[in-house]
Amino acid sequence: MKKDIIKNQALYQYPLFFDDVRKNLIRGDRSGPGAYKPLRQGAELLGDGKVRFNYRPPEGSNSVVVRGWGGSMPNSYELKPDTDGYWSVIVDDIGPGFHYHEYYVDGVKATNPLTPYGYGGFQTVNFFEVPGGEDPEFYLLKDVPHGTIRMDLYKSSVTGRWRNCYIYTPPGYEENLEKRYPVLYLQHGGGESEVGWVWQGKVNYIIDNLLAEGKCEEMIIVMNNGYAFKDDGTSHPARGSLDEVIVQDCIPFIDKKYRTITHREFRAMAGLSMGGVQSNATVMKNLHIFANLGIFSGGFSYKATDYDQTELFNNPDEYNKQFKLLFVAAGEQEQPMCDGLSRELDELRQKGIRNVFYSCPGYHEWDVWRNACREFIKLLFRP
Amino acid sequence: MKKDIIKNQALYQYPLFFDDVRKNLIRGDRSGPGAYKPLRQGAELLGDGKVRFNYRPPEGSNSVVVRGWGGSMPNSYELKPDTDGYWSVIVDDIGPGFHYHEYYVDGVKATNPLTPYGYGGFQTVNFFEVPGGEDPEFYLLKDVPHGTIRMDLYKSSVTGRWRNCYIYTPPGYEENLEKRYPVLYLQHGGGESEVGWVWQGKVNYIIDNLLAEGKCEEMIIVMNNGYAFKDDGTSHPARGSLDEVIVQDCIPFIDKKYRTITHREFRAMAGLSMGGVQSNATVMKNLHIFANLGIFSGGFSYKATDYDQTELFNNPDEYNKQFKLLFVAAGEQEQPMCDGLSRELDELRQKGIRNVFYSCPGYHEWDVWRNACREFIKLLFRP
């Protein structure tokens, strides 16, 4: 089992072709036609919890350091030169999960071209994965039917600019032309972009796998860019005007172009961190449009007086009629947030307000959000 | 006109949200809620051919250099510290076009998070654009109907691995359910990936704009990853086994999932550089499948004895019956390649072999490939 996971490591990685490139092409040390030398992977899983980091700095460099972003990779490690131009280090104290990490060459931050990267913290950033948890392969590309990810452009009447969104349609969407689908609007966090749920989150593989096991409903997932600011400076400084963009621009665009079910009970919004805050605001301000809300590692509080939600949370009957699913999740190492959310959701349940709280081991990181999203999707749009 | 181009600079850039982020969010110097300070753009067009590069190195850095990749940005420039943490330099000797460029902080290569980036040279690499040429806006996002870019996965029987491809479907594809479309298979160059024609090439905007002006036929464009190597080491060391993957795996997948016209006259393959070599090989080895070929800055020679093309090029009648379009292009500064190709194509025409040669000012860079692709698309699949 462990061996297979290691062998499948390429599947954890974007781009998919990485394995093809690594085996067959080299940079800078091609000594003649056919003289190919395999590249080292940036982060190699050696088994038994060991990881080797490999980096090729410029000749004459004096130090190479790899530094985690905290969470389950809190430390920095010094690499030492090997004989072939690479510097490397083997470590054994990195926990399972998704790890953003940075390289510093003589103190200057650099990106490792031999390691997958995503967009996070407003920058290109390397990541790698240490498989773990109860079901370490739930977000992997498997031999199952696959949906399609689309990129669509729509013009925002709110910001005046064209916007890009990613859309997942499930396997069979192209064939079952009479079928209509519920829609989940799914948001990334601060510093990320609309590609985050695909490149880092692997949400398409997660739902492909759930569908293959019959564990969730078919749905369309729309991933918008979370930054939406009006030129006149009147947008909320943190949330921006995403709620208006979603309601006024994106939903009409999606409902026109795709075969959606437009009833509010078949529309959901969810997000992680900043995206959770935005989802909360958007849904609570537009209960005539949404009946489902997911908040992962976000800023939910039923005591907050924004968006007129107080009245709703004081009226369990009305709430339970309006809301199909309120799902809140956090990583168990996100403290005091996780315990605080758990307590608040519990209080709501005691008041008769139906909701689901989910937690799993982890920090403010993509492995928590993947798990949270999977559990949310399993419950969403159930008959 | 020039002012509009500068104002529209965000449209040259991926990601689209860059302008939103830049105006409203900051990194590292947020001094309190609401205290936002605009970010500087990495490469600012100041007009009159002037460009300012801005970079924020770590405190205590001693030197920041920006270096072009050659072509119309052959030089390096030293940035000097301003008073606000940025280092900058204003230069006026960079020609029009698409410019990959790298930053070096105290000699270490770094990526500028304030500048768009793509995947090229097997790495994450910054780029910016200096608009120019006869029609400087042909590859910009405009207020016209837009097609959709999709990402699809298919399993290769050749490599045994799942592969990702990008697919452009034209505006109206979702509505006109009876309509079937011709297909162009379009390849990136060495060191790039299947995202290159979208992120750097803007091929979706190019064809959206052509369609809006009635200057080309509607078509599906399939962009495959160009690296395809068998585990047993039997693949061609440079071209790989892409030809087999396209023919055995990708075309059947596309023809099943999309509403394609499957007749060979309505199927084309084209590519740039390495992708041109691969397209040449794939089409010549599979004339029962393809009747159209485009080669941009590639390795075409009608005298080459690979793929049994010699016989075809010695038989003009047979060739003209088989081939709908042979299109070869190069940048006028790609010498001696450009003149050599022009001469060969001319010789072919003198032999009665129908073909099109196209050149435009430029080096081995994306602006040449965008122009070449546009001209190719205008001629392709014409009744």
Side-chain angles (χ1 to χ4, degrees), chain A residues 79-96:
Chain A
L79 284 71
K80 293 295 172 197
D82 292 337
T83 53
D84 57 354
Y86 285 93
W87 293 43
S88 69
V89 62
I90 295 175
V91 305
D92 60 3
D93 61 349
I94 296 177

Side-chain angles (χ1 to χ4, degrees), chain A residues 251-318:
Chain A
I251 290 176
F253 172 79
I254 294 295
D255 282 345
K256 181 164 185 288
K257 182 154 185 174
Y258 293 94
R259 300 194 311 278
T260 62
I261 306 173
T262 57
H263 189 283
R264 60 186 288 282
E265 294 194 2
F266 294 91
R267 196 181 288 118
M269 187 165 174
L272 72 94
S273 196
M274 177 183 87
V277 176
Q278 292 173 317
S279 299
N280 193 355
T282 307
V283 171
M284 288 299 177
K285 287 163 86 170
N286 297 283
L287 286 171
H288 59 299
I289 291 177
F290 292 97
N292 305 275
L293 171 61
I295 299 175
F296 318 144
S297 307
F300 177 80
S301 171
Y302 78 88
K303 295 165 188 160
T305 52
D306 307 9
Y307 348 117
D308 305 322
Q309 65 185 10
T310 317
E311 197 175 341
L312 190 68
F313 285 127
N314 281 328
N315 190 339
D317 288 346
E318 177 63 16

